[in-house]
Amino acid sequence: MKIVVDMNLCESHGQCVFAAPGVFSFDDEDTLVYEANPDDAARETVARAATVCPVRAITITPDAP
Ligand code: SF4
């Protein structure tokens, strides 16, 4: 699974950080940072993060079979 966050859209609301704290977080300057290739075990929480993002900035690409 690959995650891309469109940082031009992201407004640092932080809903993704609450939904998937192991994948998304804020750095010292309150800029979103994230694991671009998280383990598949995080699939459900990452999907939830993408759903709750109010500006739909998170795109998830599944691994090729
Ligand atoms: S929920 Fe969306 S807008 Fe908010 S920090 Fe995450 S990616 Fe950015």
Side-chain angles (χ1 to χ4, degrees):
M1 164 180 39
K2 186 170 183 290
I3 300 175
V4 175
V5 177
D6 185 337
M7 297 305 287
N8 291 317
L9 291 177
C10 175
E11 295 173 351
S12 298
H13 293 296
Q15 277 89 335
C16 59
V17 177
F18 287 111
V23 176
F24 300 92
S25 59
F26 288 116
D27 68 11
D28 291 343
E29 291 167 356
D30 287 339
T31 299
L32 182 71
V33 291
Y34 61 99
E35 171 63 56
N37 297 98
D39 195 273
D40 264 5
R43 180 182 300 273
E44 214 171 286
T45 53
V46 169
R48 195 175 312 137
T51 301
V52 298
C53 176
V55 294
R56 295 277 186 256
I58 303 171
T59 303
I60 304 168
T61 308
D63 288 331

